[in-house]
Amino acid sequence: MIKKVAILANGGDVSGFNAVIRAIMRAAMTHGIECYGYIDGYKGLVENNYIRLDGNPIASGIIAKGGSIIGSSTNTIVFHYKVKHEDGTITYEDLSDLCVKNVREAGFDCVFTLGGDSTQKSSRDLFLKGINTIGVPKTIDNDVACTDITFGYNTAVSVATEAIDRLHTTAETHHRIMVLEVMGRFAGWIALESAISGGADVALIPEIPYDLNKAAEAIKKRQARGKNFSLVVVSEGAMSKDGTIEAHEAEGLDSKSGISIKFGGIGPKVAKELQELTGMEARCTVLGYMQRGGTPTAYDRVISTKYGAKAMELALEGKFGVLTVIKDGELSSVPLEEVIGNNKEIGAVQGGTADSNVRRVTMDHDLVKTARNIGICLGD
Ligand code: F6P
């Protein structure tokens, strides 16, 4: 019998967090279950900081609201938790036992973990330690394994599409190459899909190491056809055939954990090199956090609501240690064990590392075939 549940939103925010929170809360209310929210994701779990959501005015009217009403935190994995001491030193500690104790004392029958691959890895690990967890797949990058789509992705694609549309008119007016750098650390879904929807000419994604000469050739061919401008979309994690990813480690973050790595810089690099190769003027726009903020699209509101309602359905069925997924259009669930892939070691630090199981664009995917068929250059 489920009487009391908690929601935890973790990782970089996305549009749709609140829609999932709302759906879980409303499904809980339908079944007379108390619903709580941990403040700032796993941080709230460590600090035992949570609030009641059902009946709380802060949880009302939130379906269209960006961000997360209960906050979120990045780089906070309870098995490798960053602790800042009074003397300024930082250590990483395994606080998972404390979390287990906190959940038990609060009396939560289930904790819903809204997040990406790192969050779901920790969710699996907490499940192995005896906590009833159910994951809901989030990321704008759309790179959570075992599901066709994560919530937040569609909004990011829609923001990127609007950006391409706006760059289109200025590119055309000034006869320039406009490069748009979008998010996507290890997977190029946003770049690929928005390049198709925005009518871009080149899309560079992490899965296809690029040769910029190919992109320059495509741009010159357009020029020869009288098209004196081109639009290029590049994922932040894209890299050249002989180059490295333009990434740097943010100050003070953990070098062991992949999630600390900040990407950025590939867009300006590509623009500069394309200018040299084509002789055309090139400019770069880095879209950044615009992709994560603001109101979710109707599509994201609906899949977030489906995911949230399904998560509560699973809890009522007593199915824990699973992730809600959409596979071939069907709303279902898979064991978190499958989601984490080979990263079996409990508590191991993960997230965008060689061990993590991110879902990347495959060369036989419809989006790749479509892009190639309509002549979008993928840099290969
Ligand atoms: O994982 C989603 C994502 O938006 C990445 O594409 C991006 O590199 C990262 O988060 C940046 O997150 P933050 O700066 O909040 O750590």
Side-chain angles (χ1 to χ4, degrees):
M1 260 294 273
I2 301 279
K3 291 196 180 119
K4 221 174 155 185
V5 297
I7 304 169
L8 172 161
N10 207 65
D13 68 335
V14 301
S15 302
F17 252 153
N18 286 327
V20 178
I21 293 166
R22 173 179 177 271
I24 294 174
M25 182 191 74
R26 287 181 69 115
M29 288 164 79
T30 305
H31 293 94
I33 295 165
E34 291 178 23
C35 185
Y36 295 77
Y38 277 111
I39 301 299
D40 295 339
Y42 283 129
K43 184 169 183 275
L45 191 54
V46 167
E47 295 173 0
N48 207 19
N49 186 13
Y50 56 84
I51 56 165
R52 179 99 183 236
L53 291 176
D54 50 305
N56 188 335
I58 73 152
S60 172
I62 60 172
I63 194 165
K65 206 170 167 181
S68 156
I69 57 159
I70 48 175
S72 182
S73 59
T74 53
N75 306 320
T76 13
I77 298 157
V78 295
F79 292 80
H80 188 71
Y81 194 78
K82 183 178 168 187
V83 182
K84 212 170 180 177
H85 301 276
E86 272 176 14
D87 62 359
T89 55
I90 287 170
T91 53
Y92 289 87
E93 294 170 22
D94 180 357
L95 300 181
S96 57
D97 287 339
L98 174 66
C99 294
V100 171
K101 180 175 158 278
N102 286 345
V103 172
R104 293 233 164 95
E105 280 178 10
F108 293 133
D109 301 306
C110 176
V111 178
F112 298 99
T113 55
L114 283 42
D117 68 311
S118 299
T119 302
Q120 304 312 342
K121 169 67 169 57
S122 292
S123 183
R124 192 289 311 234
D125 293 350
L126 286 169
F127 175 65
L128 290 183
K129 286 200 147 205
I131 301 298
N132 289 337
T133 58
I134 294 175
V136 184
K138 169 233 73 162
T139 72
I140 64 160
D141 294 1
N142 202 27
D143 61 358
V144 177
C146 303
T147 187
D148 292 343
I149 191 151
T150 53
F151 68 90
Y153 168 66
N154 182 264
T155 305
V157 171
S158 152
V159 172
T161 303
E162 189 186 340
I164 300 167
D165 288 347
R166 291 181 184 279
L167 292 173
H168 199 139
T169 55
T170 171
E172 203 167 359
T173 304
H174 291 283
H175 319 301
R176 283 175 174 157
I177 298 169
M178 287 302 212
V179 176
L180 178 69
E181 180 185 309
V182 297
M183 284 186 171
R185 292 183 294 183
F186 306 102
W189 299 106
I190 299 176
L192 190 56
E193 195 153 349
S194 67
I196 292 172
S197 60
D201 310 294
V202 179
L204 306 176
I205 62 173
E207 293 84 347
I208 305 177
Y210 64 79
D211 173 356
L212 222 45
N213 291 305
K214 304 276 181 191
E217 260 170 46
I219 290 168
K220 281 186 190 155
K221 267 191 199 153
R222 275 175 56 76
Q223 233 183 351
R225 294 202 311 267
K227 300 271 190 186
N228 273 327
F229 69 96
S230 280
L231 292 150
V232 178
V233 186
V234 52
S235 302
E236 61 185 347
M239 61 173 151
S240 71
K241 269 188 172 151
D242 44 4
T244 49
I245 299 172
E246 288 293 316
H248 61 271
E249 202 170 324
E251 203 188 332
L253 294 177
D254 173 32
S255 62
K256 222 178 132 197
S257 157
I259 56 167
S260 66
I261 303 292
K262 301 282 173 207
F263 286 79
I266 192 71
K269 186 172 182 268
V270 164
K272 185 174 171 282
E273 288 174 17
L274 281 178
Q275 182 162 304
E276 285 161 11
L277 289 168
T278 61
M280 283 172 75
E281 237 187 348
R283 295 282 191 272
C284 175
T285 301
V286 179
L287 200 51
Y289 296 89
M290 298 281 293
Q291 293 157 95
R292 290 179 9 183
T295 193
T297 57
Y299 184 91
D300 256 332
R301 293 180 201 191
V302 173
I303 63 155
S304 299
T305 304
K306 281 188 184 178
Y307 273 146
K310 178 71 184 177
M312 181 53 83
E313 192 183 296
L314 292 164
L316 289 165
E317 288 167 6
K319 278 194 191 161
F320 303 110
V322 292
L323 180 80
T324 61
V325 295
I326 295 178
K327 212 64 203 142
D328 303 323
E330 288 264 317
L331 187 60
S332 61
S333 65
V334 294
L336 283 166
E337 206 61 47
E338 274 177 40
V339 179
I340 64 164
N342 293 326
N343 196 1
K344 300 288 181 212
E345 194 188 330
I346 194 167
V349 181
Q350 71 314 109
T353 65
D355 285 337
S356 64
N357 192 27
V358 292
R359 178 176 162 265
R360 308 183 87 207
V361 175
T362 52
M363 293 310 107
D364 60 350
H365 195 278
D366 277 354
L367 288 176
V368 173
K369 290 187 195 162
T370 303
R372 292 199 194 280
N373 280 340
I374 62 162
I376 295 178
C377 170
L378 299 179
D380 59 348

